[in-house]
Amino acid sequence: MEQTFIMIKPDGVQRGLVGEILSRFEKKGFYLRGLKMTTVDRPFAEKHYEDLSAKPFFNGLCEYITSGAVVAMVWEGKNVVTTGRKIIGATNPSDSAPGTIRGDFAVEVGRNVIHGSDCVENAKKEIALWFPEGVATWQSSVHHWIYE
Ligand code: DAT
Ligand code: MG
């Protein structure tokens, strides 16, 4: 079992997509381990996106992510990092397949609704950054109906 960090960006919150997005991960069979609505300041945004600091869109990206409330989540499951990225869809919504979150709900790369960790190592770093208090442990009573 692995964990991934998923964040609904300010546009997703403003557009009322929180329930829809939670539902897609929940119905898939992944387990919600952490959930909070929060806002982040500029230094935090720069830390989260530190790998992209040399990109020309870095400033706009940090402004976007600090522009309103976000919903931060930790989801757990088999291959959840890779599968979570598939549920989210390609970075640029012009390339995101219909049926993915970005494919269904986004038009522009700078308003692409949601973040998901891109590898297990980054998931660990992002979970530690966003959930220093730790996440919840609970046992699903339907686990054996999802996993063989
Ligand atoms: P992803 O969010 O799919 O992991 P990323 O890590 O490469 O993509 O980039 C982080 C975010 O930065 C992305 O969700 C939207 C923004 N971004 C990426 N490429 C961009 C570009 N060419 N122009 C504007 N914004 C971009
Ligand atoms: Mg990324």
Side-chain angles (χ1 to χ4, degrees):
M1 293 290 257
E2 72 190 27
Q3 294 184 336
T4 194
F5 173 71
I6 302 290
M7 178 203 24
I8 305 173
K9 296 176 178 178
D11 50 335
V13 172
Q14 287 289 343
R15 293 176 53 202
L17 297 173
V18 173
E20 169 76 31
I21 289 169
L22 277 168
S23 187
R24 290 189 179 204
F25 282 85
E26 203 172 34
K27 287 176 184 163
K28 170 72 175 170
F30 293 140
Y31 302 143
L32 184 60
R33 296 291 189 206
L35 174 69
K36 64 183 170 191
M37 173 168 268
T38 185
T39 54
V40 297
D41 60 16
R42 178 77 189 205
F44 190 98
E46 289 181 358
K47 177 89 186 139
H48 171 75
Y49 280 126
E50 65 183 358
D51 293 350
L52 300 174
S53 61
K55 300 283 185 188
F57 55 83
F58 182 69
N59 182 53
L61 178 61
C62 291
E63 281 188 7
Y64 164 43
I65 229 69
T66 57
S67 66
V70 299
V71 173
M73 296 170 270
V74 176
W75 289 91
E76 184 177 289
K78 183 180 179 183
N79 293 325
V80 69
V81 173
T82 300
T83 305
R85 296 276 295 185
K86 289 180 185 165
I87 291 170
I88 288 170
T91 302
N92 191 327
S94 298
D95 303 323
S96 316
T100 65
I101 291 168
R102 288 168 173 165
D104 288 349
F105 303 120
V107 175
E108 289 221 84
V109 69
R111 297 288 184 273
N112 65 1
V113 170
I114 185 165
H115 166 85
S117 306
D118 61 5
C119 64
V120 172
E121 188 191 342
N122 282 338
K124 285 186 179 141
K125 273 165 59 178
E126 291 169 6
I127 291 166
L129 176 68
W130 287 80
F131 287 88
E133 69 275 27
V135 297
T137 305
W138 58 280
Q139 306 300 322
S140 167
S141 61
V142 297
H143 185 85
H144 71 289
W145 294 110
I146 300 170
Y147 291 90
E148 57 182 7

